[in-house]
Amino acid sequence: MNAMNFIINSTMKLPSTLLNLRNALFLGSRHRFNPPCCEDKLFYKSKASLLNFSKNSQFHAYPSRFVGFQRVINNAQKFNCLPSSLFARPRAVPMPYGFSVQAVIASKVRDLSTSVETGRNDKNFERIHVQNGINVKTLVERIDTDKNLVGRENPLTEDGNNVKNIGEGLGKGKNGVSIDRFPVGTVAANDPGDKQPLNYDQVFIRDFVPSALAFLLKGEGGILKNFLLHTLQLQSWEKTVDCYSPGQGLMPASFKVRTVPIDDNKFEEVLDPDFGESAIGRVAPVDSGLWWIILLRAYGRITGDYSLQERVDVQTGMKLILNLCLADGFDMFPSLLVTDGSCMIDRRMGIHGHPLEIQALFYAALRSSREILSVNEGSKNLVRAINNRLNALSFHIREYYWVDMKKINEIYRYKTEEYSMDATNKFNIYPEQIPSWLMDWVPEEGGYLIGNLQPAHMDFRFFTLGNLWSIVSSLGTSKQNEAILNLIENKWDDIVGHMPLKICYPAVENEEWRIITGSDPKNTPWSYHNGGSWPTLLWQMGRLELAQKAIALAEKRLSRDHWPEYYDTRSGKFIGKQSRLYQTWTIAGFLTSKMMVENREMASLLFWEEDYELLEICVCALSKSGRVKCSRGAAKSQILV
């Protein structure tokens, strides 16, 4: 059964809330959703193709129907993988929303060396041949014949809160995007009153995440499968020296379907990706590849279909993302160095460096890869690099990003200009950086992870997405995660107010606003990224009673306000001054939140628990001089119960 047939046949099974969303997302797209017949044109030509992966990992692409890079992969050709049972073991673990599940823990890698040589000697990864088109199955054929397209059905009870008009406004628009009648995603927004949609008419990888989870939780996994495979085709496979071309392995921020002429009176549809070259600020997206890996894991865990993860093209695409993120550079920290505007906060907001949001998503993507990466002789160096980075990153964030009353008082008494391996103030933080608002804001029983850390700089703003994903991925310790939720509960009026949730707190104002944002008229204080309230963040709350309270609050206004992108003012009382209406991820985030609360067992599959095996991995390079100290003991000490 193909994805389109499933959507059509499952119409009567859907509760009214998800049915309205499904109709809004897909029934308005440009094609009738009839199953493609055998005469339909395929996405890819089946003539013989050869993808040569040279030893320096330079990839050669061939023209395709995508405005990107064609990759025809022999479905019969697989990695030489050992059975997954040899590398995984079940373990009962506590999860958010008060439920325990059997989690799959990745292998304990033996005989780990201290070197990190990602991608070397990986012959399966470096060279993939497809000869004469034999046994090649195109993307359309794979989708159409895949018997594991749809996951387990987990019907939800009908909405008891009379939210039957959810998506009523969206039903007037055309939020679904398809190519050759196959759904591949949802546009960011479809505001009927918007005369200049800019790039809101495109499919964003990050924006599609809550929509993907809504479909997964309802058993419509085929839609996410289409999305993952099509976005994989857009990934940059060429290593270039042109500063205006995407780096090898980069996933696009967004894409749109374009119709192009091929000959007389004939047209075809292509996917046109945007790697940031058209975006405001021209910044390449760092988080797209991380979200892609996270969604790949979610697909397998919810549907039970792990064949997608095992495909050679999917494994290759994941390796490219990891190699891009794990590449050696000048940075001394295990956190990922990025520019301003490279994530959900996609405008200048002073988050360049090592923003918490990216570190939390990076950690979640590494943990996802640790679960689903095919473990064999060719990938052992990459597995080693993942384990080492996970260990170092968790210690770094837990130790240096965490602040509570005790830590703030410690910073307040810091000595500066310390030169030694044993310095307490390792990043030369001057106590004068502590903002006046912070002293009385942090409660006695709460704390949080700061927004950024660099030499002589700590960004003490509370960034909601980074803190919530530190809980979701168990980047923080169990005690730290609990303290973050305590802070949200204690500071409910500041972080939630009239509409959940503040993207960051507090807003930067006055001269600080002019310097940090460059006088950005959209990021004025308490608006948009500068302290605005974003309903899409709602689905990531990890404490049941807080989630229920926030959902009830949002439910009162979202439909009535026509599903805005964000809200303004200190308390989130007004619809954002430049907020698009009928924002897809606002609706999808609300639906996903309700389904997670109502189906906590399924929701638990999307979260991570503490992985104690990581703490057994020594991340340091042992030195006879003793200058490099082992952090294993220090990392263990951060497990606070």
Side-chain angles (χ1 to χ4, degrees), residues 584-598:
T584 305
W585 72 349
T586 297
I587 291 183
F590 178 76
L591 282 177
T592 301
S593 302
K594 290 184 69 69
M595 286 190 286
M596 283 184 167
V597 167
E598 295 168 3

Side-chain angles (χ1 to χ4, degrees), residues 461-508:
R461 287 175 291 177
F462 176 87
F463 286 87
T464 302
L465 180 58
N467 275 276
L468 290 181
W469 266 89
S470 296
I471 298 173
V472 169
S473 64
S474 287
L475 175 56
T477 68
S478 59
K479 188 173 181 179
Q480 289 173 344
N481 294 342
E482 189 71 18
I484 293 171
L485 292 171
N486 288 341
L487 180 137
I488 293 175
E489 184 174 22
N490 189 277
K491 297 299 178 182
W492 187 264
D493 290 341
D494 292 332
I495 299 173
V496 179
H498 288 88
M499 178 57 65
L501 291 156
K502 278 274 178 287
I503 192 170
C504 70
Y505 181 89
V508 294

Side-chain angles (χ1 to χ4, degrees), residues 359-423:
Q359 313 317 318
L361 293 176
F362 183 36
Y363 187 78
L366 289 176
R367 293 201 61 183
S368 298
S369 302
R370 191 168 183 257
E371 290 183 27
I372 62 183
L373 188 66
S374 297
V375 181
N376 52 41
E377 184 65 23
S379 63
K380 64 180 181 180
N381 290 325
L382 185 56
V383 171
R384 180 187 303 119
I386 291 171
N387 283 303
N388 288 347
R389 193 62 166 265
L390 280 168
N391 180 283
L393 182 60
S394 63
F395 170 74
H396 183 77
I397 299 297
R398 292 173 178 186
E399 177 70 13
Y400 302 122
Y401 276 62
W402 179 254
V403 293
D404 53 15
M405 286 301 297
K406 179 181 177 181
K407 185 62 177 289
I408 294 171
N409 194 59
E410 178 183 324
I411 298 172
Y412 183 74
R413 294 171 52 82
Y414 266 169
K415 295 179 180 179
T416 58
E417 317 303 330
E418 294 181 287
Y419 178 81
S420 71
M421 293 296 297
D422 299 319

